Amino acid sequence: MLKNYFKIAWRNILRHKGYSIINISGLSVGIAACLLIFVILQFELSFNTGFTNYKSLYHVATKQIGEDGTTYNPGVSVPALDALRIDFPQVKFAALNSSYGSQLTVPGNDPNNALNDKKFSEDVGVFFMEPQFFDIFHSDWLAGDKSALDQPNMVVIAQSTATKYFGNWKQAMGKTLKMDNVLTLRVAGIIGDAPDNSDFPLKVMVSYTTWKEHPKDYNYSHEWGSLSSNHQIFAELPQNMTAANMDKQLVRFTAKFAKDKTKVTRAHFLQPLSDMHFDTRFGNTIGDHSTSMATLRILGLIAVLIIVMASINFINLSTAQSVSRSKEVGIRKVLGSTRKQLISQVLGETTLIVVFSVAIAVAIAELALPYLKNIATVPDNIRLFNAGTMMFLALTTIAVIILSGIYPALVVSGFKPILAIKNKITAASVGGIPLRRALVVGQFFIAQLLIIGTLVAVKQMNYVNDADLGFNKSAVLILPGYTDSISLGKMQTFKQQLLQNPQVKSVSFTSDAPSSDNNWGSNFYYNNDMKGATFGVFMKFADADYFKTFGFKFAAGGGFDLSDTTRQVVVNETLVHKLGVKNAGDAIGKTFKLGGAKKWANIIGVVKDFKTNSLRDAVRPIVILTQKEYEGQAAVKIQTTSLSKTTAAVKALWEKTYPEYAYSGYFLDEKIAKFYEQENKLALVYKIFAGIAIFISCLGLYGLVSYMAVQRTKEVGVRKVLGASVANIVFMFSKEFLLLIGIAFLIAMPTAWYLMSQWLQNFAYRIPLTAGVFLLAIVGSMGIAWLTVSYKALKAALVNPVKSLKSE
Amino acid sequence: MLSLQHISKYYQVGGNKNFVINDISLDVDEGEFVSIMGPSGSGKSTLLNIIGMLDDPSTGYHYFVDQPVHQMKEKQRSALYKQYIGFVFQAYHLIDELTVYENIETPLIYQDVKGSERKAMVADMLDRFNIVGKKDLFPAQLSGGQQQLVGIARALIAKPKLLLADEPTGNLNSKQGEEIMELFRKLNKEDGVTIIQVTHSEKNAEYGSRIINLLDGRVESSKKF
Ligand SMILES: Nc1ncnc2c1ncn2[C@@H]1O[C@H](COP(=O)(O)OP(=O)(O)OP(=O)(O)O)[C@@H](O)[C@H]1O
Ligand SMILES: [Mg+2]
């Protein structure tokens, strides 16, 4: 019996090749898309679950409640660590201080020639770490053990890092490693690599005590008041203690030690390790990869929508097609088939098509997998097959079979045999026309939602990427440098040598690019008023050439004059306005002092507002001032005509000047584009999936119209004989669909408007939601649908009427 | 075997009832061979469909092997049908998606006959109708006469007690038609199969033991031999 079903199913697939291709291509593209999204979700949601005890692990975080609202900081002050250990003896604590970027050097044979050294820049994964860390976070020790981190100047490195530095990790033990040309470390342990789905990309772990011995170089401060996001504490709670319980005690703990006289109230609390990856309140994780749950939810929703759309095609086509099967069904009933048997037969066909589609989907997904990293932060070596994806495929297969097979099966098996045999079953008597219309509306609702979403996202990202930042970001090469005295001493000669290259327009030493995610702030005093301003200011340190290099415009006054820069500051318009000064010119000549500074300086210029951060945030009050020790990085403005050649020359010069450092220059505009990496990826995701949605819904339309064309061949013939024009006929076919799309639009427009205005809230600078976007969506979807429909309709309309009538 | 009492079938056309079958009462005993004749549109096929439980009468009582069909649910009727009736359709009604072999085999599948047994029965039937060579062809590849033969073979495969045939020889040449009639007679005489056939041919009608003439949905005359 079963064999019989599948044989018939197979023949039916072949007989109705056109519909089968439509069904299979729609389903396989849809399932492939879902499979890939599943792989992304699976990867993201698995973060930190590699630690077997992750459910009892917590991150001790800090909440600061101030006048401007609540801010979150992943760090905890250094003295809190010992205090926590005393107050909570039953809890295991471990601290680390991450370096946000360090250079590791493997010394060459010649100690006097730094050019022989092997230099490596590590953006993430370099820590000062307590040995206790490994008590609560399990790692595989390939050599040595955690006690290595008891001693100063000891370092533990991960296997692949060791291989990278020393060629073979087995030869790394006992070797010397220099860090930032400040520390000389001995390799005392090797651990296995951290898995990709860990927020702790452990690469280079220097003993915590080493940090204490170099307070200046690595900002070690044993002050309760100082809070750095680099210094983080983790805890493992004992079985009998809940996080809520500990949180309560932490309130008392914080109160006990809070001797802070500032207006900011600080509170510590526990963040479950399982939340860490998704908690966007803290900006980012130490692994530099956090993902918002909202993004994951959107992805999941898109996956479900795509599957639903593909299933709708299936339902529409099979019910429409079922009319032509009515005779077969009727005869089968007369020959003794029960309804159950007919249902199984139809489901059997569905199963065959779905299984076939899943096989193709897997092939598509496998081919697309290498490109997945363009839309999501997944590791290069991500795999398609694992227990989870297999389970997902199995469940999807079953869900799609049920979703798309049950209804047509019920319709087909419900035919009355006598009507079926007499060929009295028509599209109208099958019923389901209202349903089919509703489904088409549903499909176009989804498609238009995605189209509008895409248009808005793309427009917004174009706006953000091309926005006038208030300074010139193009062709500025940033050379991160070092502020040790030797490096600072070489600065001026380096600058002079750079300027000898005719392609170099100007060079400025600075702490920070105009737009960056740096937020180094302070309180300040204005106009000799010792009460102090009610808001903080953010600082950028730079020399006089800063303004020229970045092409700032001034609202009043000008940049530093070379003679006396230490007593001069430049502020931005936002700061002036926040102070209540109406006219920028009125601020010129007024005095200005940072909190903690001894001398007053003069405001000599007010720059027009430039974007200080990403466009997600509003412009901040800024002061630009000079302080040589902080101006470690060079900004080099280059003639755009020979970028790569000049860049190479700059690099060569840099390496000659600073042989002990690895070159890590980058172009500012590329860095700024990175601010929006997540959004740009999301915009790309929208584009791809809107494309898929349109593809699937048009496939469905195409199928329905081709079916209609077959059904109405005779009608078309008669109408043509009676004098209908080709245009009349095409209109006859398309008017219903255009109406349905119109209805879909009426639902999609407000929904999309609501959703996208929510999304735009993420940006301080955003495009307005104009009618244009919506107009484009409706015209676009109608246009595409019309093209789809009219191809088939035209074909039907152009058939010689004599031919179509004769065949009756 | 079956009994129709005051059976009518009408279609509502505008406000009028348009009677296709008008108050027909008819008893058929086991072992009878009945021929139904009448002009086109007189309701022969409709009557046969009602007897075969494929169509519902508008009013009247219908008993089959002493069971009240007019009170039955679809499922029971279908079970009864499966057990007793074989149907030869005027328009053949072969399943286009199946080969000749599979078409003949299908009723056996639905009656849960075992595979090996099915094979033997179908082979026997193909042999009997001389269509072994066509067994792998699809209906569209056959002539009208050949399709009709397949339809008859399919109706007989499950060894029905009642054979309903709607113009079984309409598309056959006279020699083939005669052979089929001989076959029907043999089935009727030797195997005791009750047969009701619709035919336009006087000659074929005379194979029956009773001839019923329909006109406008009524029994115009009925004579037994
Ligand atoms: N759905 C329907 N609506 C209205 N009238 C119908 C319907 N179906 C059948 N009829 C009518 O019923 C009548 C009897 O039809 P039937 O098929 O039983 O005739 P027949 O005697 O078998 O004719 P033929 O010899 O041509 O096969 C016809 O006049 C037909 O018009
Ligand atoms: Mg007839």
Side-chain angles (χ1 to χ4, degrees), chain A residues 422 424, chain B residues 11 13 18 20 38-47 90 166-167 198 200:
Chain A
K422 283 175 157 181
K424 289 272 159 57
Chain B
Y11 293 99
V13 179
N18 199 343
V20 179
S40 198
S42 56
K44 304 178 299 285
S45 295
T46 309
L47 182 63
Q90 187 172 1
D166 197 346
E167 300 197 32
V198 169
H200 278 294

PDB file of all heavy atoms in Angstrom, chain A residues 422 424, chain B residues 11 13 18 20 38-47 90 166-167 198 200, ligand 1:
ATOM      1  N   LYS A 422     -18.589  12.677 -12.146  1.00  0.00           N
ATOM      2  CA  LYS A 422     -19.279  13.424 -13.194  1.00  0.00           C
ATOM      3  C   LYS A 422     -18.516  14.676 -13.598  1.00  0.00           C
ATOM      4  O   LYS A 422     -19.009  15.490 -14.364  1.00  0.00           O
ATOM      5  CB  LYS A 422     -20.665  13.831 -12.708  1.00  0.00           C
ATOM      6  CG  LYS A 422     -21.684  12.690 -12.732  1.00  0.00           C
ATOM      7  CD  LYS A 422     -22.932  13.226 -12.105  1.00  0.00           C
ATOM      8  CE  LYS A 422     -24.201  12.532 -12.481  1.00  0.00           C
ATOM      9  NZ  LYS A 422     -25.319  13.205 -11.779  1.00  0.00           N
ATOM     10  N   LYS A 424     -17.933  17.257 -11.866  1.00  0.00           N
ATOM     11  CA  LYS A 424     -18.676  18.444 -11.465  1.00  0.00           C
ATOM     12  C   LYS A 424     -17.912  19.248 -10.422  1.00  0.00           C
ATOM     13  O   LYS A 424     -18.417  20.193  -9.873  1.00  0.00           O
ATOM     14  CB  LYS A 424     -20.048  18.033 -10.893  1.00  0.00           C
ATOM     15  CG  LYS A 424     -20.985  17.510 -11.956  1.00  0.00           C
ATOM     16  CD  LYS A 424     -21.775  18.653 -12.586  1.00  0.00           C
ATOM     17  CE  LYS A 424     -22.341  18.313 -13.949  1.00  0.00           C
ATOM     18  NZ  LYS A 424     -23.202  17.141 -13.961  1.00  0.00           N
TER      19      LYS A 424
ATOM     20  N   TYR B  11     -33.795  17.650  -9.704  1.00  0.00           N
ATOM     21  CA  TYR B  11     -32.922  18.822  -9.544  1.00  0.00           C
ATOM     22  C   TYR B  11     -33.791  20.043  -9.490  1.00  0.00           C
ATOM     23  O   TYR B  11     -34.777  20.140 -10.212  1.00  0.00           O
ATOM     24  CB  TYR B  11     -31.944  18.936 -10.718  1.00  0.00           C
ATOM     25  CG  TYR B  11     -30.935  17.825 -10.749  1.00  0.00           C
ATOM     26  CD1 TYR B  11     -31.099  16.730 -11.584  1.00  0.00           C
ATOM     27  CD2 TYR B  11     -29.823  17.879  -9.907  1.00  0.00           C
ATOM     28  CE1 TYR B  11     -30.183  15.697 -11.596  1.00  0.00           C
ATOM     29  CE2 TYR B  11     -28.899  16.843  -9.908  1.00  0.00           C
ATOM     30  CZ  TYR B  11     -29.081  15.760 -10.745  1.00  0.00           C
ATOM     31  OH  TYR B  11     -28.184  14.754 -10.746  1.00  0.00           O
ATOM     32  N   VAL B  13     -34.641  23.413 -10.540  1.00  0.00           N
ATOM     33  CA  VAL B  13     -34.290  24.366 -11.606  1.00  0.00           C
ATOM     34  C   VAL B  13     -35.220  25.551 -11.479  1.00  0.00           C
ATOM     35  O   VAL B  13     -36.415  25.436 -11.724  1.00  0.00           O
ATOM     36  CB  VAL B  13     -34.412  23.740 -13.003  1.00  0.00           C
ATOM     37  CG1 VAL B  13     -34.063  24.771 -14.071  1.00  0.00           C
ATOM     38  CG2 VAL B  13     -33.501  22.525 -13.126  1.00  0.00           C
ATOM     39  N   ASN B  18     -37.158  19.403 -11.241  1.00  0.00           N
ATOM     40  CA  ASN B  18     -36.969  18.779 -12.523  1.00  0.00           C
ATOM     41  C   ASN B  18     -36.653  17.310 -12.268  1.00  0.00           C
ATOM     42  O   ASN B  18     -35.542  16.963 -11.898  1.00  0.00           O
ATOM     43  CB  ASN B  18     -35.808  19.492 -13.234  1.00  0.00           C
ATOM     44  CG  ASN B  18     -35.824  19.230 -14.706  1.00  0.00           C
ATOM     45  OD1 ASN B  18     -36.490  18.298 -15.158  1.00  0.00           O
ATOM     46  ND2 ASN B  18     -35.091  20.032 -15.453  1.00  0.00           N
ATOM     47  N   VAL B  20     -35.616  13.635 -12.657  1.00  0.00           N
ATOM     48  CA  VAL B  20     -34.804  12.781 -13.520  1.00  0.00           C
ATOM     49  C   VAL B  20     -35.247  11.343 -13.315  1.00  0.00           C
ATOM     50  O   VAL B  20     -35.306  10.548 -14.247  1.00  0.00           O
ATOM     51  CB  VAL B  20     -33.311  12.930 -13.178  1.00  0.00           C
ATOM     52  CG1 VAL B  20     -32.468  12.033 -14.061  1.00  0.00           C
ATOM     53  CG2 VAL B  20     -32.887  14.385 -13.339  1.00  0.00           C
ATOM     54  N   GLY B  38     -33.618   2.840 -22.903  1.00  0.00           N
ATOM     55  CA  GLY B  38     -34.348   4.098 -22.909  1.00  0.00           C
ATOM     56  C   GLY B  38     -33.583   5.139 -23.685  1.00  0.00           C
ATOM     57  O   GLY B  38     -32.374   5.005 -23.887  1.00  0.00           O
ATOM     58  N   PRO B  39     -34.270   6.167 -24.124  1.00  0.00           N
ATOM     59  CA  PRO B  39     -33.592   7.210 -24.901  1.00  0.00           C
ATOM     60  C   PRO B  39     -32.586   7.979 -24.037  1.00  0.00           C
ATOM     61  O   PRO B  39     -32.634   7.912 -22.826  1.00  0.00           O
ATOM     62  CB  PRO B  39     -34.734   8.114 -25.360  1.00  0.00           C
ATOM     63  CG  PRO B  39     -35.861   7.833 -24.432  1.00  0.00           C
ATOM     64  CD  PRO B  39     -35.704   6.427 -23.969  1.00  0.00           C
ATOM     65  N   SER B  40     -31.759   8.695 -24.736  1.00  0.00           N
ATOM     66  CA  SER B  40     -30.736   9.482 -24.042  1.00  0.00           C
ATOM     67  C   SER B  40     -31.402  10.499 -23.123  1.00  0.00           C
ATOM     68  O   SER B  40     -32.387  11.140 -23.494  1.00  0.00           O
ATOM     69  CB  SER B  40     -29.874  10.198 -25.084  1.00  0.00           C
ATOM     70  OG  SER B  40     -28.680  10.607 -24.502  1.00  0.00           O
ATOM     71  N   GLY B  41     -30.898  10.617 -21.927  1.00  0.00           N
ATOM     72  CA  GLY B  41     -31.449  11.590 -20.988  1.00  0.00           C
ATOM     73  C   GLY B  41     -32.635  11.072 -20.214  1.00  0.00           C
ATOM     74  O   GLY B  41     -33.215  11.807 -19.421  1.00  0.00           O
ATOM     75  N   SER B  42     -32.989   9.808 -20.386  1.00  0.00           N
ATOM     76  CA  SER B  42     -34.180   9.300 -19.709  1.00  0.00           C
ATOM     77  C   SER B  42     -33.898   8.919 -18.255  1.00  0.00           C
ATOM     78  O   SER B  42     -34.821   8.590 -17.519  1.00  0.00           O
ATOM     79  CB  SER B  42     -34.741   8.103 -20.467  1.00  0.00           C
ATOM     80  OG  SER B  42     -33.730   7.104 -20.600  1.00  0.00           O
ATOM     81  N   GLY B  43     -32.642   8.922 -17.844  1.00  0.00           N
ATOM     82  CA  GLY B  43     -32.323   8.701 -16.435  1.00  0.00           C
ATOM     83  C   GLY B  43     -31.698   7.357 -16.152  1.00  0.00           C
ATOM     84  O   GLY B  43     -31.585   6.948 -14.999  1.00  0.00           O
ATOM     85  N   LYS B  44     -31.205   6.667 -17.195  1.00  0.00           N
ATOM     86  CA  LYS B  44     -30.648   5.326 -17.006  1.00  0.00           C
ATOM     87  C   LYS B  44     -29.402   5.356 -16.102  1.00  0.00           C
ATOM     88  O   LYS B  44     -29.310   4.620 -15.114  1.00  0.00           O
ATOM     89  CB  LYS B  44     -30.265   4.723 -18.366  1.00  0.00           C
ATOM     90  CG  LYS B  44     -31.400   4.670 -19.373  1.00  0.00           C
ATOM     91  CD  LYS B  44     -30.944   4.114 -20.712  1.00  0.00           C
ATOM     92  CE  LYS B  44     -29.868   4.921 -21.401  1.00  0.00           C
ATOM     93  NZ  LYS B  44     -30.325   6.165 -22.017  1.00  0.00           N
ATOM     94  N   SER B  45     -28.494   6.239 -16.453  1.00  0.00           N
ATOM     95  CA  SER B  45     -27.262   6.308 -15.661  1.00  0.00           C
ATOM     96  C   SER B  45     -27.566   6.715 -14.231  1.00  0.00           C
ATOM     97  O   SER B  45     -26.980   6.185 -13.276  1.00  0.00           O
ATOM     98  CB  SER B  45     -26.289   7.314 -16.278  1.00  0.00           C
ATOM     99  OG  SER B  45     -25.875   6.863 -17.539  1.00  0.00           O
ATOM    100  N   THR B  46     -28.487   7.655 -14.089  1.00  0.00           N
ATOM    101  CA  THR B  46     -28.834   8.116 -12.748  1.00  0.00           C
ATOM    102  C   THR B  46     -29.377   6.965 -11.913  1.00  0.00           C
ATOM    103  O   THR B  46     -28.975   6.783 -10.757  1.00  0.00           O
ATOM    104  CB  THR B  46     -29.868   9.250 -12.841  1.00  0.00           C
ATOM    105  OG1 THR B  46     -29.400  10.223 -13.760  1.00  0.00           O
ATOM    106  CG2 THR B  46     -30.092   9.887 -11.486  1.00  0.00           C
ATOM    107  N   LEU B  47     -30.241   6.190 -12.522  1.00  0.00           N
ATOM    108  CA  LEU B  47     -30.817   5.052 -11.798  1.00  0.00           C
ATOM    109  C   LEU B  47     -29.723   4.063 -11.389  1.00  0.00           C
ATOM    110  O   LEU B  47     -29.678   3.584 -10.253  1.00  0.00           O
ATOM    111  CB  LEU B  47     -31.863   4.355 -12.679  1.00  0.00           C
ATOM    112  CG  LEU B  47     -32.585   3.164 -12.031  1.00  0.00           C
ATOM    113  CD1 LEU B  47     -33.390   3.630 -10.815  1.00  0.00           C
ATOM    114  CD2 LEU B  47     -33.499   2.468 -13.034  1.00  0.00           C
ATOM    115  N   GLN B  90     -19.901   4.240 -17.974  1.00  0.00           N
ATOM    116  CA  GLN B  90     -20.108   4.635 -19.368  1.00  0.00           C
ATOM    117  C   GLN B  90     -18.857   5.338 -19.903  1.00  0.00           C
ATOM    118  O   GLN B  90     -18.441   5.131 -21.028  1.00  0.00           O
ATOM    119  CB  GLN B  90     -21.309   5.585 -19.417  1.00  0.00           C
ATOM    120  CG  GLN B  90     -21.753   5.958 -20.799  1.00  0.00           C
ATOM    121  CD  GLN B  90     -23.059   6.751 -20.767  1.00  0.00           C
ATOM    122  OE1 GLN B  90     -23.606   7.030 -19.696  1.00  0.00           O
ATOM    123  NE2 GLN B  90     -23.580   7.068 -21.915  1.00  0.00           N
ATOM    124  N   ASP B 166     -22.761   0.366 -17.137  1.00  0.00           N
ATOM    125  CA  ASP B 166     -23.391   1.460 -17.867  1.00  0.00           C
ATOM    126  C   ASP B 166     -22.829   1.456 -19.287  1.00  0.00           C
ATOM    127  O   ASP B 166     -21.717   1.913 -19.526  1.00  0.00           O
ATOM    128  CB  ASP B 166     -23.100   2.787 -17.154  1.00  0.00           C
ATOM    129  CG  ASP B 166     -24.046   3.883 -17.611  1.00  0.00           C
ATOM    130  OD1 ASP B 166     -24.722   3.688 -18.646  1.00  0.00           O
ATOM    131  OD2 ASP B 166     -24.098   4.924 -16.932  1.00  0.00           O
ATOM    132  N   GLU B 167     -23.625   0.933 -20.209  1.00  0.00           N
ATOM    133  CA  GLU B 167     -23.197   0.794 -21.603  1.00  0.00           C
ATOM    134  C   GLU B 167     -21.803   0.206 -21.736  1.00  0.00           C
ATOM    135  O   GLU B 167     -20.896   0.861 -22.241  1.00  0.00           O
ATOM    136  CB  GLU B 167     -23.275   2.155 -22.305  1.00  0.00           C
ATOM    137  CG  GLU B 167     -24.694   2.675 -22.260  1.00  0.00           C
ATOM    138  CD  GLU B 167     -24.922   3.783 -23.265  1.00  0.00           C
ATOM    139  OE1 GLU B 167     -24.278   3.745 -24.333  1.00  0.00           O
ATOM    140  OE2 GLU B 167     -25.735   4.671 -22.974  1.00  0.00           O
ATOM    141  N   VAL B 198     -26.992  -1.168 -18.542  1.00  0.00           N
ATOM    142  CA  VAL B 198     -27.687  -0.175 -19.350  1.00  0.00           C
ATOM    143  C   VAL B 198     -27.186  -0.345 -20.772  1.00  0.00           C
ATOM    144  O   VAL B 198     -25.976  -0.483 -20.973  1.00  0.00           O
ATOM    145  CB  VAL B 198     -27.381   1.250 -18.847  1.00  0.00           C
ATOM    146  CG1 VAL B 198     -27.871   2.285 -19.853  1.00  0.00           C
ATOM    147  CG2 VAL B 198     -28.002   1.491 -17.492  1.00  0.00           C
ATOM    148  N   HIS B 200     -28.022   0.493 -25.184  1.00  0.00           N
ATOM    149  CA  HIS B 200     -28.845   1.048 -26.266  1.00  0.00           C
ATOM    150  C   HIS B 200     -29.170  -0.030 -27.306  1.00  0.00           C
ATOM    151  O   HIS B 200     -29.959   0.197 -28.205  1.00  0.00           O
ATOM    152  CB  HIS B 200     -28.095   2.197 -26.963  1.00  0.00           C
ATOM    153  CG  HIS B 200     -28.214   3.490 -26.236  1.00  0.00           C
ATOM    154  ND1 HIS B 200     -29.402   4.155 -26.107  1.00  0.00           N
ATOM    155  CD2 HIS B 200     -27.299   4.253 -25.581  1.00  0.00           C
ATOM    156  CE1 HIS B 200     -29.214   5.260 -25.432  1.00  0.00           C
ATOM    157  NE2 HIS B 200     -27.934   5.340 -25.084  1.00  0.00           N
TER     158      HIS B 200
HETATM  159  N1  LIG C   1     -26.676  18.219 -11.918  1.00  0.00           N
HETATM  160  C1  LIG C   1     -27.750  18.149 -12.711  1.00  0.00           C
HETATM  161  N2  LIG C   1     -28.619  19.162 -12.771  1.00  0.00           N
HETATM  162  C2  LIG C   1     -29.721  19.107 -13.553  1.00  0.00           C
HETATM  163  N3  LIG C   1     -30.002  18.096 -14.331  1.00  0.00           N
HETATM  164  C3  LIG C   1     -29.169  17.018 -14.343  1.00  0.00           C
HETATM  165  C4  LIG C   1     -27.993  16.990 -13.545  1.00  0.00           C
HETATM  166  N4  LIG C   1     -27.350  15.814 -13.753  1.00  0.00           N
HETATM  167  C5  LIG C   1     -28.104  15.140 -14.666  1.00  0.00           C
HETATM  168  N5  LIG C   1     -29.161  15.865 -15.017  1.00  0.00           N
HETATM  169  C6  LIG C   1     -30.229  15.480 -15.935  1.00  0.00           C
HETATM  170  O1  LIG C   1     -30.666  14.192 -15.657  1.00  0.00           O
HETATM  171  C7  LIG C   1     -31.137  13.588 -16.826  1.00  0.00           C
HETATM  172  C8  LIG C   1     -30.760  12.127 -16.848  1.00  0.00           C
HETATM  173  O2  LIG C   1     -29.399  11.945 -17.035  1.00  0.00           O
HETATM  174  P1  LIG C   1     -28.713  10.533 -17.210  1.00  0.00           P
HETATM  175  O3  LIG C   1     -27.250  10.707 -17.294  1.00  0.00           O
HETATM  176  O4  LIG C   1     -29.240   9.659 -16.161  1.00  0.00           O
HETATM  177  O5  LIG C   1     -29.311  10.081 -18.619  1.00  0.00           O
HETATM  178  P2  LIG C   1     -29.045   8.748 -19.433  1.00  0.00           P
HETATM  179  O6  LIG C   1     -30.376   8.112 -19.586  1.00  0.00           O
HETATM  180  O7  LIG C   1     -27.980   7.996 -18.813  1.00  0.00           O
HETATM  181  O8  LIG C   1     -28.607   9.298 -20.842  1.00  0.00           O
HETATM  182  P3  LIG C   1     -27.491   8.722 -21.853  1.00  0.00           P
HETATM  183  O9  LIG C   1     -28.119   7.610 -22.603  1.00  0.00           O
HETATM  184  O10 LIG C   1     -27.194   9.854 -22.753  1.00  0.00           O
HETATM  185  O11 LIG C   1     -26.365   8.303 -21.039  1.00  0.00           O
HETATM  186  C9  LIG C   1     -30.599  14.381 -18.007  1.00  0.00           C
HETATM  187  O12 LIG C   1     -31.685  14.966 -18.668  1.00  0.00           O
HETATM  188  C10 LIG C   1     -29.736  15.440 -17.368  1.00  0.00           C
HETATM  189  O13 LIG C   1     -29.949  16.663 -18.006  1.00  0.00           O
END
